[in-house]
Amino acid sequence: MKPNIGINDTHLAATSNLLNLLLADEFTLYAKTRNYHWNVTGPHFSDLHKFFEGQYEELDEIMDSVAERVRMLGHYAVGTLTDFAKMTRLTEGQDAGTDKKMIQNLLDDHETIIRELRNDVNEVNDKYKDAGTADFLTGIMESHEKMGWMLRAYIS
Ligand SMILES: [Fe+2]
């Protein structure tokens, strides 16, 4: 059944598409963070191993809420690795090498997502008249800003 929530079908579809693109980015960053959790080495191993775990757990919760928001808008969430790989605007990259490079790679991805979200918030609010999703995306942007701060603190 279609949601009758005062947003037209075209706008619901456009917003859902933006959310699915974000979901693909979140999934890619989740996989990358998990990869680094497993493979980090060096004198800060124990600390970074735990730190990356905290971050991928937060990304896991974000992914779930983004997918469920797509369903609330009456569309289907992307859910296959093939689609995630096709849709993501992030690059997976090769072996990161040093722990510092891992942190820089993750920070770059969080900042990319933050910039995308900043545009999406305005587009969803102004163009698609969906204040709920704009508010939802603002909250996710703030979570990434916090994760970005923590990553930045390791290398500055
Ligand atoms: Fe683990």
Side-chain angles (χ1 to χ4, degrees), residues 34 37-38 49 53 56:
R34 194 132 203 175
H37 162 76
W38 290 327
H49 180 69
E53 181 172 7
Y56 77 64

Side-chain angles (χ1 to χ4, degrees), residues 83-134:
D83 284 337
F84 289 140
K86 238 186 279 172
M87 291 167 66
T88 186
R89 294 155 294 186
L90 305 177
T91 48
E92 283 206 285
Q94 302 301 313
D95 286 348
T98 65
D99 53 357
K100 235 182 170 177
K101 186 79 183 104
M102 287 179 174
I103 290 165
Q104 185 64 57
N105 287 348
L106 296 177
L107 176 59
D108 290 346
D109 286 349
H110 281 278
E111 289 183 339
T112 298
I113 290 177
I114 290 164
R115 292 193 301 273
E116 281 163 0
L117 281 167
R118 205 174 296 287
N119 290 329
D120 291 350
V121 165
N122 291 331
E123 191 173 346
V124 166
N125 200 44
D126 301 342
K127 205 165 158 194
Y128 306 135
K129 314 295 177 201
D130 183 348
T133 299

